[in-house]
Amino acid sequence: MSDISSFMRGLERRNPGETEFHQAVREVVETVMPFIAEHSKYKEAQILERMTEPDRIVIFRVTWVDDKGQIRANRAWRVQFNNSIGPYKGGLRFHPTVTLSVLKFLGFEQVLKNSLTGLPMGGAKGGSNFNPRGKSNGEVMRFCQSLMIELHRYIGEVTDIPAGDIGVGDREISYLFGQYKRLTNRFVGTLTGKGLAFGGSLIRKEATGYGCVYFCEHMLNHVGDSIADKKVSVSGSGNVAIYTVEKAIQLGARVITMSDSSGYIHDPQGIDLEKLEFIKDLKEVRRGRISEYAERYPSASFFEGERPWRVPVDVALPCATQNEIDESDALTLLGNGVLAVCEGANMPTNLEGAHAFGAAKILYGPAKAANAGGVAVSGLEQSQNSLRLSWSREEVDGRLKTIMSGIHERCVSYGDRGDGSVNYVTGANIGGFVKVADAMLAYGPV
Ligand code: NDP
C-alpha cells in the first residue's frame, strides 16, 4: 500500500463519515507526501499526523427566541486547528449545511492558507447550522448574541480571532462584536470584518474577491497573458463573488455569469459596474435572489437550478461554495477552452475536477492561495487595531497586492513542474506546509 493510501485509511478510520474533511486532507497529502519522503525530519516527527488532528474543538448549543416567541436551538462549533505560527484565525459560517466535517475541512485549509500569507496567523474555523435566510434582523441579532455568550470564553485578541464567511457578513459581525465587548468589558480586535466606525479596515470587505483576481492576474502574467478582454464566468453573488466581479471589470475583463443557490444568470453583454451596483443592492441590502437580475436586464437569462460552468469562457472564478465544480463540469470547461480557473470559494472543485485541471496543465489557482486575500486583510485589521491606527484604502490595497504577489511567488517556487508550467496545487500545499511544520519541529512534541 502506498504511503498516501495508508495515511488516508488511518485518517478515515479516526474521522468516520467526515467526507469533506477527508477530501481536503487527501488533496494536501497527495502533493505533500512526496516532499515529506525527501525530508525525513517531517516523517520522523509525525508532522502530517499531528497537523491533521485539530488542537481542540468546542461544540455547544445556541438557544434563542424567534419573533413568534418560540424557543429555538442550534448547534455551534469552533475548531481551533493549529496555532503553531500565530493565534487561531478563521471565519464563522452560518448555513444549514454546516457540520463538523465541513468546519474541519475549512479549518485544516485555513492553517495552510494563513501560513502562505506570510503573516503570523494560526488556523481555525467555526459556525453553526443556523440559517440566516428568511430570518428577521431581530432573530439574527438574538442568535448572534446567544452564540457569543458561549464563544467569548474561547476567543481573544491573542488567542483566537474569528471573522466572517458564508452567512456571516457586516451585520452578523457587528452583533457578535457588540456582545463580545459587553461580556468582556474590553474593546479589542477579537473579531475582524468589523464596521469602519469600530475598528474595521478599509478593503476588508473587498479583499477576498480583489485578492482572487490579483492572483489570477499573476498566473496569467506568468505566461505572458492578462485578464484584460477575457470572457469570465463567476459563481455566487455573495461577498466574495461581488468583489471578484468588481476587480475583474476594473481590469478590463468581460464577466458574463453570476449565481446563487437557486440558479445562474448569463448576460452575454457583460455585467458592468452599473449592473453590479444593482446586484450589491439586491444582495447586500434587499437580500433578494439573483433571478431578479434577469427580470431587470433583458440582455440576461436565468437558468434555474443550474451552475454556470457550461457557458464557454476563458477564465472561471468559482466564488460560491465547496464542491460546485465536479469532474463533468471541469471537462466541460476544458472542452470549451478555459485557460484559467482561480478559486474564490473554499474547495469549490472536487478531487476529480482538480485532477482534470492538473492533467490539462491549465492555470489552476487553488483556494488556499487564491482566496487568501481575505484573511490577509483580516491580519492587517488586527495590526491596525493593535497599533490603534487606521490605514488608508491605498495603503491596505497596496499591502494586499504585495501579499498576493508573495503567495504567487511561493507557489511558483514549490510548484514548478520543470517544463515551464506551474502546479499551483503542489506549490500552495508545500508552500503552506513548510512554515507550520518547521515551527512544530522546533517546539518538540507538544
Ligand atoms: P456569502 O454568504 O456572502 O455568499 C455565498 C454565495 O454562495 C451566495 O451567493 C450563496 O447563494 C452561494 N451559495 C452558498 N451555499 C451554496 C450552495 N450550497 N449551493 C449554491 N450556492 C451556494 O459568502 P462568501 O461570499 O463570504 O463566501 C463564499 C465562499 O468564499 C465560501 O466558500 C467561503 O468559505 C469562501 N471564502 C470567503 C471569505 C470571505 O472573506 N468572506 C474568505 C475566503 C474564502 P444563496 O444566497 O442562495 O445561499
Side-chain angles (χ1 to χ4, degrees), residues 5-242:
S5 317
S6 95
F7 179 88
M8 286 308 302
R9 270 179 60 149
L11 183 111
E12 286 164 12
R13 200 179 54 240
R14 290 191 298 279
N15 303 277
E18 296 183 354
T19 50
E20 294 86 359
F21 181 52
H22 302 166
Q23 180 184 339
V25 172
R26 182 178 285 278
E27 191 241 75
V28 170
V29 170
E30 280 178 358
T31 52
V32 169
M33 202 61 109
F35 178 79
I36 290 179
E38 288 167 17
H39 299 81
S40 58
K41 58 184 179 179
Y42 298 127
K43 194 172 168 67
E44 284 154 18
Q46 304 271 304
I47 293 293
L48 208 48
E49 286 77 0
R50 290 159 58 195
M51 215 186 264
T52 49
E53 195 64 44
D55 289 351
R56 75 185 60 76
I57 300 172
V58 185
I59 307 180
F60 54 98
R61 185 184 65 244
V62 182
T63 310
W64 55 284
V65 180
D66 70 17
D67 286 347
K68 294 188 190 115
Q70 274 176 352
I71 296 176
R72 310 277 290 264
N74 286 91
R75 186 178 300 168
W77 297 261
R78 186 69 180 165
V79 181
Q80 295 183 331
F81 221 108
N82 189 305
N83 68 353
S84 297
I85 62 167
Y88 302 110
K89 178 97 200 82
L92 294 171
R93 177 178 291 193
F94 294 169
H95 196 272
T97 57
V98 168
T99 60
L100 180 57
S101 168
V102 167
L103 296 177
K104 281 170 73 175
F105 118 62
L106 289 164
F108 177 67
E109 288 274 299
Q110 197 80 47
V111 173
L112 301 175
K113 179 188 310 189
N114 292 2
S115 163
L116 267 178
T117 66
L119 299 175
M121 300 183 292
K125 201 81 189 189
S128 171
N129 56 5
F130 173 77
N131 187 358
R133 170 114 50 95
K135 303 284 191 302
S136 69
N137 283 339
E139 289 175 324
V140 171
M141 179 186 75
R142 290 193 292 279
F143 175 80
C144 288
Q145 291 180 340
S146 180
L147 179 132
M148 189 51 85
I149 286 176
E150 182 65 22
L151 186 66
H152 88 279
R153 304 175 209 275
Y154 310 104
I155 60 176
E157 75 279 20
V158 291
T159 312
D160 183 355
I161 305 98
D165 190 75
I166 290 178
V168 180
D170 300 354
R171 176 183 60 173
E172 291 75 17
I173 292 290
S174 303
Y175 292 145
L176 291 164
F177 183 71
Q179 182 76 332
Y180 178 81
K181 184 175 68 59
R182 176 163 69 167
L183 289 166
T184 59
N185 193 24
R186 297 169 73 237
F187 193 111
V188 286
T190 297
L191 288 137
T192 58
K194 299 185 291 299
L196 292 177
F198 47 94
S201 174
L202 288 161
I203 303 283
R204 172 60 191 92
K205 193 172 181 168
E206 295 89 342
T208 311
Y210 280 17
C212 176
V213 177
Y214 293 151
F215 192 84
C216 189
E217 183 70 343
H218 277 299
M219 292 199 301
L220 287 158
N221 289 169
H222 194 68
V223 295
D225 206 341
S226 106
I227 200 167
D229 299 323
K230 294 285 183 295
K231 226 196 284 180
V232 175
S233 57
V234 172
S235 65
S237 48
N239 170 264
V240 178
I242 285 173

